[in-house]
Amino acid sequence: MAILKAEIIAKLNSSSHGDYLSSSSQTAPVQFDAATTPAIDLPAAVPSTFLASVSPAARDPAGSDVPVPASISNDFYLKYELEDWLSPVSFESDMASYASQYVEGTRDWAVDAIGKQFTGDANVVWLNGAAGVGKSLVAYLAARSPPSGFTLLSAFFCKHYDEKKNNAKQLVCRLVFDLACVSPVACRHLHSLMQQDKDNRTRNPTGLSILDKPIVAFSTLFLELLPLLGTSSDSKLSPDSLVSAVSPQASAARYLIVIDALDECGTQGDPTRNELLNVLASLNTPSSTGAAKLPPFVKILTTGRPEADIWKVMESLRTDSLEPTAAANARDIELFVKHEVAHFPYSLGSQTDDCCRLLMQNSEFVFVTARVLCSQLGLIVDSHHGVDGLDLLAIVKHLSASLDDQYARILRSNINTDDATDLDGYMNFMYVLLAAKVPLDCANIAVLTDLTPAGVQLVISK
């Protein structure tokens, strides 16, 4: 529960003892009403083991539990318990990875164009394009620097190889938790719904939690509570009068939700994925059934490859295609290539401009290809300790960004080891990938090699 652990550690280590204010919400602490707020058993102390897992300095030297300052108000514990229930996945490492790949000045035009798409009754925009054209960098930039007038509400980056980032349940849990962090009123009502869900599970241990029904959870825990973004933090609405009592026009702010790589959420034919696609598509059309809809001040940007099932459902939305040949994209590739070449360990000297131009052409203006070609050239220059005696243009002409070359580059970057066992593991692992040329999970790789599943995990981790 790293998201909220940091908050309590910061407070416990702080010399200030004023009213607690959540770092996720720029509003005053919630004033709770006993008549409408469920009773909460607040712990008298935070377990020292919990504190030590975050910051050893926060643990009491004697090993006893650390008293909780009275100034930490109930809103923290509401979020604390919600986080424990929802287990939202963190995308901190993903954002850091995209930040390391991103070149300032690129993709600004795409985010601006997306912002202009959110006009009138358009609630959802789908940015599609082939693999490697840079859709995820657009999503990253939109999350980091949303279109003018928007505040980021939530961002989810789907990853087909990560079970915590490739399914609708995890997506919904992340959205719900982010809503709780932004709106103290929504947090209060979500806590009440959580208690109801836990009570139902107690009465019926074999029954499903609402979290195990992602589409129901998306509607009940998220869509129906989004209007609360437009209410004051001291609102004391009862759950029964919640939606009818809230005016969607009450919010002066506009919020953006980013869902990247929708094609990596579930698989084609997955019923839950189909339901999620249909729900997203329905958010752009008026509801005749009374189903919850996005309030007008909340918009969704989703990206992904136009796989058959996604295209069938999403083509009715406001769509943008990221075309490699577009002039703005070509300009981004130029900025990217020049940036990469400028950071080579050795200067290309007088051949720089011609090399950059040829790298751009050979990349066919696809980001992932440009990155591979630049990496290959950089490795050659680095291994030669400079450009003296190198015909760089001839070298660039013969560079390839084929799948084999990409796998080979991964292998070269990972075999820096003196351990023969490690080296054998890498070789077996890469032999399988080079032969299959399709995504494989750890179990299948283990079957096809003499590695154990744990051994496969070890190779991947290195």
Side-chain angles (χ1 to χ4, degrees):
M1 308 211 306
I3 301 168
L4 289 178
K5 286 179 182 177
E7 292 187 35
I8 193 168
I9 295 302
K11 188 64 183 178
L12 289 170
N13 290 336
S14 171
S15 59
S16 171
H17 299 287
D19 286 337
Y20 172 75
L21 182 66
S22 164
S23 61
S24 301
S25 172
Q26 302 303 314
T27 58
V30 178
Q31 302 300 314
F32 289 90
D33 182 352
T36 60
T37 303
I40 306 168
D41 294 326
L42 301 182
V46 179
S48 58
T49 52
F50 162 72
L51 293 174
S53 69
V54 183
S55 172
R59 183 169 180 172
D60 183 86
S64 60
D65 290 348
V66 180
V68 177
S71 58
I72 299 183
S73 57
N74 290 3
D75 61 325
F76 172 82
Y77 289 101
L78 292 174
K79 288 194 296 180
Y80 179 89
E81 292 191 347
L82 281 171
E83 184 180 18
D84 186 51
W85 181 53
L86 295 166
S87 298
V89 63
S90 170
F91 290 94
E92 184 177 350
S93 61
D94 299 88
M95 291 293 284
S97 176
Y98 290 129
S100 69
Q101 301 172 32
Y102 178 69
V103 174
E104 291 296 335
T106 62
R107 292 308 190 234
D108 293 342
W109 58 273
V111 175
D112 290 341
I114 290 165
K116 292 175 182 177
Q117 289 273 27
F118 290 126
T119 57
D121 58 355
N123 289 328
V124 183
V125 168
W126 175 43
L127 176 67
N128 66 81
V133 297
K135 301 181 297 298
S136 290
L137 282 178
V138 174
Y140 156 75
L141 186 59
R144 191 198 76 173
S145 305
S148 178
F150 282 91
T151 297
L152 181 70
L153 175 58
S154 184
F156 193 96
F157 295 84
C158 302
K159 306 290 182 184
H160 70 86
Y161 53 81
D162 189 333
E163 292 184 356
K164 293 183 178 179
K165 300 176 182 177
N166 67 2
N167 60 81
K169 177 180 178 179
Q170 293 292 343
L171 167 59
V172 172
C173 286
R174 178 74 256 180
L175 294 175
V176 171
F177 184 71
D178 286 339
L179 174 61
C181 288
V182 171
S183 169
V185 186
C187 181
R188 185 193 313 166
H189 288 285
L190 282 167
H191 190 272
S192 177
L193 292 170
M194 177 196 74
Q195 296 285 34
Q196 292 176 27
D197 186 68
K198 289 184 174 182
D199 290 344
N200 290 338
R201 293 295 308 283
T202 300
R203 288 192 295 269
N204 181 16
T206 61
L208 292 176
S209 164
I210 190 174
L211 300 180
D212 295 318
K213 298 176 281 187
I215 306 306
V216 175
F218 184 67
S219 177
T220 304
L221 304 179
F222 189 67
L223 285 181
E224 292 181 8
L225 299 187
L226 278 176
L228 291 177
L229 287 168
T231 62
S232 63
S233 61
D234 60 354
S235 172
K236 297 180 177 61
L237 298 172
S238 66
D240 292 338
S241 62
L242 176 61
V243 176
S244 61
V246 178
S247 168
Q249 306 298 333
S251 177
R254 293 199 295 171
Y255 295 91
L256 178 66
I257 299 166
V258 177
I259 304 173
D260 179 54
L262 195 56
D263 54 286
E264 297 189 36
C265 183
T267 58
Q268 291 196 58
D270 176 2
T272 302
R273 166 160 149 167
N274 291 338
E275 285 186 81
L276 178 62
L277 292 173
N278 284 311
V279 168
L280 289 174
S282 72
L283 296 177
N284 260 7
T285 58
S287 174
S288 58
T289 63
K293 305 294 293 183
L294 280 179
F297 51 83
V298 179
K299 308 294 183 182
I300 297 177
L301 164 65
T302 183
T303 74
R305 286 175 286 184
E307 293 185 351
D309 60 332
I310 297 178
W311 179 262
K312 181 179 179 180
V313 175
M314 306 290 277
E315 64 174 335
S316 62
L317 301 179
R318 289 285 182 90
T319 62
D320 262 336
S321 295
L322 200 52
E323 301 293 343
T325 55
N329 184 69
R331 170 187 161 276
D332 284 355
I333 295 294
E334 180 180 7
L335 287 174
F336 174 79
V337 168
K338 289 182 175 179
H339 173 273
E340 294 295 290
V341 169
H343 286 78
F344 281 178
Y346 300 95
S347 170
L348 303 189
S350 60
Q351 302 181 77
T352 299
D353 290 342
D354 289 337
C355 282
C356 286
R357 190 159 40 250
L358 195 54
L359 285 167
M360 290 168 55
Q361 292 173 3
N362 289 359
S363 74
E364 298 181 341
F365 302 100
V366 174
F367 253 100
V368 68
T369 308
R371 178 174 288 110
V372 171
L373 294 177
C374 288
S375 177
Q376 289 178 344
L377 181 59
L379 286 171
I380 292 171
V381 172
D382 189 26
S383 63
H384 194 75
H385 303 294
V387 299
D388 291 344
L390 292 180
D391 184 349
L392 292 179
L393 292 181
I395 292 172
V396 172
K397 286 178 182 178
H398 289 90
L399 291 179
S400 170
S402 69
L403 196 56
D404 280 354
D405 290 312
Q406 294 185 49
Y407 283 138
R409 180 174 63 88
I410 295 171
L411 179 58
R412 284 195 301 271
S413 67
N414 280 285
I415 61 174
N416 244 346
T417 177
D418 295 325
D419 190 319
T421 303
D422 281 355
L423 184 57
D424 287 341
Y426 285 128
M427 295 300 289
N428 288 333
F429 179 79
M430 294 307 296
Y431 282 149
V432 170
L433 291 185
L434 288 167
K437 295 186 180 180
V438 295
L440 296 171
D441 61 23
C442 293
N444 284 329
I445 293 175
V447 170
L448 295 171
T449 66
D450 59 0
L451 296 171
T452 64
V456 174
Q457 290 279 12
L458 183 62
V459 170
I460 294 173
S461 69
K462 292 187 176 183

